[in-house]
Amino acid sequence: MNQTADILDLAARAIQQDIDAVLATVVRTEGSAYRQPGAMMLICADGRSVGMISGGCLEPHIIKRAFWLTRNGANVQVYQTGDDIGYRNNGNPESTAVEDPTVKDEDMSEDDFLEGELNFGLGCNGRVHVLFERLATAIPLLALIRQVRHTQQPVTIATLTRSVSPERKAAEMQVGTRIYLDEYLKAESLADVYLKQNMASNSNTVIDDVLFNTIKKLSKHKFHKKNAEYIKLTGELELQAIGDRQYETEWLLQRICPQTRLLICGAGNDVIPLVTMAKLQDWHVTVIDSRPQYATRLRFSQADSVLCLALDDSETLLKLSAGAAVAVMSHSLAQDRARLAVLLEHATHCHYLGQLGPRYRTERLIREISETSANPHILADGIGKLHYPIGYKLGGEGPEALALSIMAQMSAVIHGHTPQTILPNSQYNLQTSEQSDFNNYKNDYAHD
């Protein structure tokens, strides 16, 4: 399973068993970092934990201190991953760890002072900002993630990670406050925008003024390549007795998106490792086949859905393929022809469309489909978007190698990336066409 699914599953069990837990979330990175903002880890009081917020180097420390760090509420800790020991200008050694200035020596056990306890000398030269919060306050966020996975509708939220104001008691919001930006965009008011009620005083008019101005700025932000970004905002406060003063807030802005959906048209044995690899990436996987002896839950226990779908059920096929990555790989000319004839005329609504088999086999299918097509121009556009033979030529042999090549190509296309290198002695540029001879390889188990 994928870490997000594992976290949701463990959180549900912890709540059911009345076991406390801490959710750790990466809210900002600087320099090199293994995980990006939005990465999560759940630590239960009984010792269970799932998820990763680093490559495994920060996790032992975080598991040990998670409950102690959240004893007074949510807070953000900063970890450095540079060399073990740095040196000040005077030549004296200094720790690379960024320590919480509010922690006093008497609050820490002897173990906390062991050499290397707070040093993460990994050579990555990065900084990772991590938000720690108890499960009770993180429940609305996890519920929202479940909602997105169920409805397939993305949502945008903002999580406060730092707040600095001239009059702390009057206008500072609490770290961990989450704002449901979609609700503001619908109503343009503060009603129902709190995803988590973690405010010093929700009736505080100063906070509401600050929040209203902040939400307006956050709601105008445009995501670039990533769905989680660090945002720093400043503004003016109008407070009696002190006049206009600057306030500053830092946020993790997230676009929580549905799972990538994969539709596999065909239920042969080589589909099994493809389903496994897709689920490792937390993709939502549907397997269809018109042959009932193939399309069974017993054969594809990891898939989210397994359907015996008639070849003439174009309506369901289009519904399942909308916004999905689609692999046509039934090893049956009749099945592939029927599925491909529908998909090629609606290729624009797929994120990816690929056909298994050698090039001449797919070209035969295309000729046969073209002879009966009523929309040759639309069909031509679809053919231009078809990836065949499916997958990158990565080497290897067998269903597992095929699954890896398919997942690599699908992921690259979905995320807008192309390979940066070419095979030795190749005269082709990979960026010119996904249909290049680089992908024109013989597939021994594609013949019928």
Side-chain angles (χ1 to χ4, degrees):
M1 295 181 68
N2 175 269
Q3 292 184 36
T4 301
D6 290 343
I7 288 172
L8 294 175
D9 179 64
L10 181 57
R13 284 186 281 130
I15 294 171
Q16 184 179 27
Q17 298 164 4
D18 196 26
I19 296 174
D20 200 4
V22 172
L23 183 68
T25 305
V26 176
V27 295
R28 181 187 178 190
T29 60
E30 301 173 80
S32 177
Y34 186 83
R35 299 301 307 274
Q36 296 302 308
M40 299 184 297
M41 179 179 183
L42 187 69
I43 305 105
C44 290
D46 61 2
R48 292 175 293 176
S49 65
V50 292
M52 296 175 64
I53 58 172
S54 74
C57 32
L58 301 182
E59 281 73 8
H61 168 83
I62 286 171
I63 290 173
K64 180 178 179 180
R65 301 190 69 193
F67 285 90
W68 180 79
L69 288 170
T70 54
R71 68 198 187 281
N72 295 321
N75 70 91
V76 174
Q77 297 289 308
V78 185
Y79 300 93
Q80 289 191 9
T81 57
D83 296 333
D84 288 331
I85 297 294
Y87 289 90
R88 301 190 185 96
N89 293 333
N90 60 12
N92 295 324
E94 63 177 354
S95 167
T96 60
V98 179
E99 300 185 38
D100 184 355
T102 65
V103 176
K104 300 179 181 179
D105 289 353
E106 56 268 27
D107 293 331
M108 302 178 71
S109 66
E110 182 178 352
D111 289 341
D112 291 321
F113 289 99
L114 292 177
E115 182 178 359
E117 175 70 13
L118 296 178
N119 295 337
F120 301 94
L122 311 174
C124 300
N125 298 321
R127 290 161 66 95
V128 183
H129 301 240
V130 182
L131 169 66
F132 293 87
E133 58 186 321
R134 291 295 174 96
L135 179 58
T137 60
I139 287 176
L141 170 64
L142 299 178
L144 187 64
I145 295 174
R146 288 193 187 91
Q147 173 190 313
V148 169
R149 293 164 75 91
H150 176 70
T151 64
Q152 292 289 302
Q153 297 299 318
V155 298
T156 305
I157 63 170
T159 304
L160 181 67
T161 62
R162 184 170 177 265
S163 176
V164 178
S165 63
E167 189 67 28
R168 297 177 64 91
K169 292 182 180 179
E172 187 172 356
M173 294 177 286
Q174 292 184 15
V175 167
T177 297
R178 286 193 174 91
I179 304 302
Y180 192 178
L181 292 178
D182 295 295
E183 289 298 326
Y184 167 76
L185 292 174
K186 292 177 183 177
E188 294 193 359
S189 71
L190 290 181
D192 300 323
V193 300
Y194 299 111
L195 186 59
K196 182 179 72 175
Q197 297 291 348
N198 189 22
M199 308 288 289
S201 172
N202 291 330
S203 62
N204 190 312
T205 57
V206 174
I207 290 181
D208 284 349
D209 289 342
V210 172
L211 190 58
F212 190 77
N213 292 330
T214 298
I215 290 176
K216 287 196 293 186
K217 293 181 180 179
L218 291 173
S219 62
K220 295 178 181 179
H221 180 79
K222 301 297 183 182
F223 289 96
H224 298 289
K225 293 184 178 181
K226 299 179 180 179
N227 289 318
E229 298 179 9
Y230 161 79
I231 305 292
K232 183 177 181 179
L233 299 177
T234 59
E236 295 288 342
L237 282 176
E238 297 181 2
L239 300 176
Q240 292 181 348
I242 65 172
D244 292 352
R245 298 288 296 276
Q246 286 284 328
Y247 72 90
E248 182 178 282
T249 55
E250 297 178 14
W251 300 82
L252 170 64
L253 192 62
Q254 291 176 276
R255 186 69 171 167
I256 300 178
C257 295
Q259 295 166 277
T260 299
R261 293 191 301 112
L262 170 62
L263 173 64
I264 306 174
C265 301
N269 290 341
D270 55 347
V271 170
I272 296 174
L274 179 58
V275 171
T276 299
M277 290 188 186
K279 291 309 297 179
L280 286 173
Q281 294 291 320
D282 194 32
W283 289 17
H284 182 282
V285 181
T286 299
V287 178
I288 64 171
D289 202 299
S290 66
R291 300 163 291 190
Q293 70 273 25
Y294 282 74
T296 66
R297 169 58 64 182
L298 183 63
R299 284 168 51 78
F300 301 99
S301 59
Q302 293 187 72
D304 296 278
S305 179
V306 182
L307 302 174
C308 182
L309 189 68
L311 295 181
D312 60 356
D313 191 349
S314 300
E315 182 179 352
T316 301
L317 177 61
L318 290 175
K319 181 179 179 181
L320 293 173
S321 61
V326 183
V328 182
M329 48 189 301
S330 72
H331 297 277
S332 163
L333 283 170
Q335 290 230 15
D336 286 358
R337 186 188 305 108
R339 306 297 190 201
L340 205 57
V342 176
L343 294 169
L344 285 177
E345 293 195 353
H346 300 83
T348 55
H349 82 176
C350 300
H351 284 322
Y352 171 97
L353 177 60
Q355 171 67 57
L356 178 69
R359 180 176 293 276
Y360 67 82
R361 179 183 185 273
T362 301
E363 290 176 347
R364 172 186 171 182
L365 290 171
I366 291 174
R367 285 197 302 271
E368 293 173 351
I369 293 170
S370 300
E371 291 173 357
T372 59
S373 175
N375 302 294
H377 297 296
I378 296 177
L379 183 64
D381 290 340
I383 295 170
K385 294 179 173 62
L386 178 64
H387 298 266
Y388 69 97
I390 194 172
Y392 288 140
K393 187 176 180 180
L394 301 178
E397 188 272 334
E400 292 78 14
L402 173 66
L404 179 61
S405 72
I406 293 174
M407 287 297 299
Q409 188 178 58
M410 285 182 172
S411 183
V413 171
I414 290 171
H415 293 98
H417 293 288
T418 55
Q420 299 300 307
T421 59
I422 59 177
L423 292 177
N425 303 321
S426 173
Q427 60 181 341
Y428 297 98
N429 185 335
L430 292 184
Q431 296 184 1
T432 60
S433 173
E434 290 290 349
Q435 312 302 326
S436 69
D437 284 349
F438 179 74
N439 289 325
N440 188 16
Y441 60 96
K442 180 180 178 182
N443 201 329
D444 289 334
Y445 36 84
H447 295 278
D448 300 289

